[in-house]
Amino acid sequence: MLIRERTEQMERLVLSKYACKSDTGAVRDKKEERCPTRTEFQRDRDRIIHSKAFRRLSHKTQVFLSPEGDHYRTRLTHTLETSQIARTIARALRLNEDLTEAIALGHDLGHTPFGHAGERALNEVCPSGYIHAQQSVRIVESIENGGTGLNLTREVRNGMECHTGGAAADTLEGRIVRYADKIAYSNHDIDDALRAGVLKPNDIPWDVQYKLGRTTSERITTLINAIVESSTDKPDITMESGIYKTYLHLQEFMFEAVYTNEIAKSQEGKAEKMIQTLYKRFCKYPDELPDEYKKIMDRDGKERAVCDYIAGMSDRFAVNKFSDMFVPKAWG
């Protein structure tokens, strides 16, 4: 018996009846010979980790643009924290950890440079609009590997697309990631805001500190436990109502105190202007696109190719590209 077959057999014996099993639930658009050692969802996880889009996350903004210091979160560290939280929940509920991890690692591949400021900027100028969850799926379907994509399973792509807003994911593993994403960013954004001086410990609402916890670790543990206790042996992923109400208060507080804070967001207007200026430039001069995006232009149109190119940029690459094009060079 192959190692993969032993793993699949173990899943059938150990996992919940509500779990998505690797041998029966993993569906690819293009059929492939199965790996002797890894399950299909393990292969998806590995393909995401080895993708160019995943590596670029290390230089993309989470909340604070170009922060001074090495300890602020990036889009990559957010992704890893989301994955850790999601796997903890999946294991506790006896759901498929490999599927959960693959979805979590891929959920933000489509984020733009400069975080949600970049997403807003592209959404305003791209004819088809811009939603990062949909772009994450587009990357793995038709941008990576020279345009051929990663051929991920439908279950992973569905979880990536449904991780924020809209319809719930088809699998419970995908629904876990939706919660894990929120738990991760709500709590690590508090940590970053405290480090930046945007928040002080006593600013955090009393009911949040009392019911969820005073530290990041305490709050994450409380929220995870509230999901596990509410969802064990159930056909859906939910959070205990009292804790969820307090969590919503935390989100409301973070929106008012951090996500729309004038100090924290003081540079976003510049970032949005930069993104839109680059978009207009490449639409006017598409010959300046790299060859791989010229192929996308031939296939999907100029505006789509330009949007893909800019969305894939890291913060510093976008700044350097803007500087090369629009900032005069010194004689020398």
Side-chain angles (χ1 to χ4, degrees):
M1 181 182 292
L2 296 174
I3 294 173
R4 169 183 53 78
E5 292 173 338
R6 286 202 205 104
T7 304
E8 292 169 346
Q9 183 182 61
M10 190 178 302
E11 286 183 359
R12 292 192 294 271
L13 293 172
V14 174
L15 293 187
S16 163
K17 64 181 180 179
Y18 300 114
C20 184
K21 311 300 193 299
S22 301
D23 58 342
T24 57
V27 179
R28 299 191 191 279
D29 290 347
K30 303 173 191 172
K31 289 191 176 294
E32 298 179 3
E33 185 176 345
R34 297 212 167 193
C35 176
T37 55
R38 296 170 298 163
T39 67
E40 294 303 289
F41 297 136
Q42 289 173 339
R43 295 176 79 188
D44 282 1
R45 174 203 59 203
D46 295 350
R47 290 176 185 185
I48 290 168
I49 288 176
H50 290 288
S51 69
K52 292 187 294 183
F54 185 80
R55 295 195 294 274
R56 290 195 297 266
L57 294 177
S58 63
H59 297 291
K60 291 194 176 190
T61 289
Q62 175 60 25
V63 172
F64 294 93
L65 272 64
S66 303
E68 294 292 335
D70 295 331
H71 298 140
Y72 290 91
R73 268 71 171 191
T74 65
R75 192 59 61 178
L76 178 61
T77 55
H78 160 70
T79 294
L80 295 176
E81 291 181 28
T82 298
S83 176
Q84 176 268 320
I85 292 168
R87 284 195 59 174
T88 298
I89 297 170
R91 179 171 294 191
L93 296 176
R94 293 187 299 116
L95 298 176
N96 195 314
E97 282 187 63
D98 295 323
L99 171 57
T100 305
E101 183 180 29
I103 295 169
L105 292 175
H107 83 281
D108 268 357
L109 292 179
H111 253 297
T112 61
F114 310 115
H116 289 287
E119 184 170 14
R120 285 194 302 270
L122 282 181
N123 190 50
E124 289 177 5
V125 295
C126 293
S128 57
Y130 191 89
I131 300 173
H132 79 269
Q134 294 176 2
Q135 184 71 9
S136 295
V137 176
R138 177 171 169 79
I139 285 170
V140 300
E141 286 184 343
S142 57
I143 297 179
E144 282 286 335
N145 282 344
T148 62
L150 303 179
N151 194 29
L152 302 185
T153 59
R154 295 178 189 174
E155 292 77 9
V156 170
R157 288 178 286 139
N158 172 259
M160 289 165 60
E161 186 170 14
C162 296
H163 82 268
T164 176
D170 294 337
T171 64
L172 297 194
E173 289 81 359
R175 298 178 194 184
I176 285 175
V177 173
R178 190 169 185 166
Y179 273 105
D181 179 37
K182 298 178 189 300
I183 293 172
Y185 74 66
S186 294
N187 286 284
H188 64 48
D189 290 352
I190 290 177
D191 192 33
D192 283 355
L194 290 170
R195 180 174 288 107
V198 173
L199 288 181
K200 296 177 182 178
N202 290 336
D203 292 335
I204 300 172
W206 176 85
D207 66 322
V208 171
Q209 296 191 56
Y210 179 74
K211 294 182 179 179
L212 302 187
R214 294 180 177 274
T215 68
T216 299
S217 177
E218 289 175 352
R219 289 189 294 270
I220 290 175
T221 299
T222 299
L223 292 167
I224 288 174
N225 289 340
I227 291 173
V228 172
E229 291 171 7
S230 181
S231 306
T232 297
D233 296 326
K234 302 285 179 59
D236 198 7
I237 305 299
T238 60
M239 185 185 293
E240 191 276 321
S241 60
I243 296 297
Y244 186 64
K245 182 178 180 180
T246 306
Y247 167 74
L248 291 178
H249 186 201
L250 171 61
Q251 273 200 320
E252 181 182 351
F253 164 74
M254 289 297 292
F255 183 82
E256 295 176 354
V258 178
Y259 302 139
T260 58
N261 182 279
E262 291 183 1
I263 298 174
K265 300 301 175 182
S266 61
Q267 301 299 308
E268 285 196 350
K270 297 177 184 178
E272 292 176 17
K273 182 69 173 177
M274 184 186 303
I275 292 293
Q276 293 183 349
T277 301
L278 287 171
Y279 178 86
K280 293 173 185 176
R281 166 77 183 201
F282 284 112
C283 281
K284 187 174 182 180
Y285 302 106
D287 288 344
E288 296 179 356
L289 289 170
D291 288 343
E292 62 184 295
Y293 290 94
K294 290 178 182 175
K295 293 178 182 178
I296 293 175
M297 179 172 64
D298 293 339
R299 184 188 68 197
D300 300 330
K302 177 178 66 178
E303 290 82 4
R304 184 71 256 180
V306 172
C307 185
D308 289 340
Y309 180 44
I310 295 174
M313 293 179 178
S314 64
D315 293 18
R316 64 185 183 183
F317 185 87
V319 170
N320 290 338
K321 183 63 67 175
F322 182 87
S323 179
D324 288 343
M325 289 180 165
F326 299 104
V327 178
K329 304 293 188 296
W331 285 96

